[in-house]
Amino acid sequence: MSVFFSYILLGITLAAPIGPVNAAQLDKGIKSGFWHAWVVGVGAMIADGLYMLFVYLGVVHFLEVPMVKTFLWLFGFFILVYIGAESVKGGSGALTVTTRRSSPPLIHSFSSGFFMSLCNPLSIVFWIGIYGSIVAKTSAHQSIEQLWLYSAAIFIGVSLWDVTMAGMASGFRKYLSERMLGLISTASGICLILFGIYFGWEGVKALLEFRRH
């Protein structure tokens, strides 16, 4: 049981570092409330689950093909810059009561989280390093059931962090002034744009490297 809880803690620590998904959750929670922020995390978690499955099936090396990685970098650039620009546009100045009450469909929040995580090549490297080592260690010394149990524990940890982030983000809109919420939303959007610029730069470098070869 202690090992199980250690993998839950691993899932929390994997989800906790500030990145595009956490920035998007903060923005969605401020503008649209708990459920939108949580669904962003769910979308990202499903994308992470796909990468875990790819690692388990041994087909993740296809995602390391230079052309595929280039596509992921550049597509991630467009997604992040678009979402970030929308966030900055919506957060400029104070968030009005109308803005905060009119929420887009939940599927929009889900798809933004899903594609943000799916189009992040760093996730590929991340899950190869973390989950790949878990697969190697567990398959060598324990049963397949143990592997699925540890995988479930990681997902529980990620889910707990998603709920925490969604609660924090939606809580902000109850206690902070509308102008402050607008500033936080703008800051979240700028973070997303900066992440997008990084993705774009990496995509251009990967494209130039691919063309050289």
Side-chain angles (χ1 to χ4, degrees):
M1 187 60 70
S2 61
V3 176
F4 182 77
F5 281 112
S6 70
Y7 277 99
I8 292 179
L9 183 60
L10 174 62
I12 293 173
T13 55
L14 292 179
I18 296 299
V21 174
N22 283 342
Q25 280 187 293
L26 184 61
D27 178 60
K28 288 293 184 183
I30 286 172
K31 288 181 179 175
S32 306
F34 174 85
W35 291 109
H36 283 267
W38 178 68
V39 166
V40 170
V42 171
M45 189 169 62
I46 290 178
D48 289 339
L50 285 176
Y51 281 134
M52 291 172 72
L53 181 63
F54 290 154
V55 172
Y56 174 73
L57 295 176
V59 299
V60 74
H61 298 294
F62 166 75
L63 298 171
E64 294 185 292
V65 173
M67 193 60 188
V68 175
K69 287 186 75 172
T70 301
F71 171 78
L72 289 174
W73 281 123
L74 295 177
F75 191 57
F77 161 74
F78 287 115
I79 294 250
L80 288 171
V81 170
Y82 173 76
I83 295 174
E86 287 291 310
S87 178
V88 170
K89 180 182 175 183
S92 57
L95 289 177
T96 63
V97 176
T98 306
T99 303
R100 292 168 65 184
R101 284 181 181 172
S102 59
S103 299
L106 281 172
I107 189 64
H108 290 179
S109 300
F110 174 85
S111 60
S112 64
F114 178 78
F115 285 112
M116 260 190 279
S117 187
L118 189 70
C119 297
N120 185 357
L122 296 178
S123 296
I124 304 170
V125 178
F126 196 71
W127 287 112
I128 288 176
I130 300 294
Y131 192 65
S133 63
I134 294 173
V135 170
K137 179 181 176 182
T138 306
S139 60
H141 300 98
Q142 295 170 326
S143 64
I144 188 66
E145 288 79 11
Q146 291 291 105
L147 176 60
W148 287 114
L149 185 65
Y150 296 157
S151 302
I154 292 173
F155 262 84
I156 290 172
V158 174
S159 300
L160 288 174
W161 179 257
D162 287 341
V163 171
T164 302
M165 272 297 296
M168 288 171 54
S170 59
F172 284 152
R173 72 196 226 131
K174 295 178 182 177
Y175 301 110
L176 297 179
S177 67
E178 292 184 346
R179 180 166 182 78
M180 183 60 70
L181 292 176
L183 291 174
I184 294 174
S185 180
T186 300
S188 299
I190 291 172
C191 286
L192 289 171
I193 291 172
L194 291 175
F195 279 119
I197 292 171
Y198 169 72
F199 275 39
W201 173 245
E202 291 295 328
V204 170
K205 288 199 301 184
L207 183 61
L208 292 175
E209 187 69 25
F210 177 76
R211 292 184 66 179
R212 279 198 203 104
H213 297 297

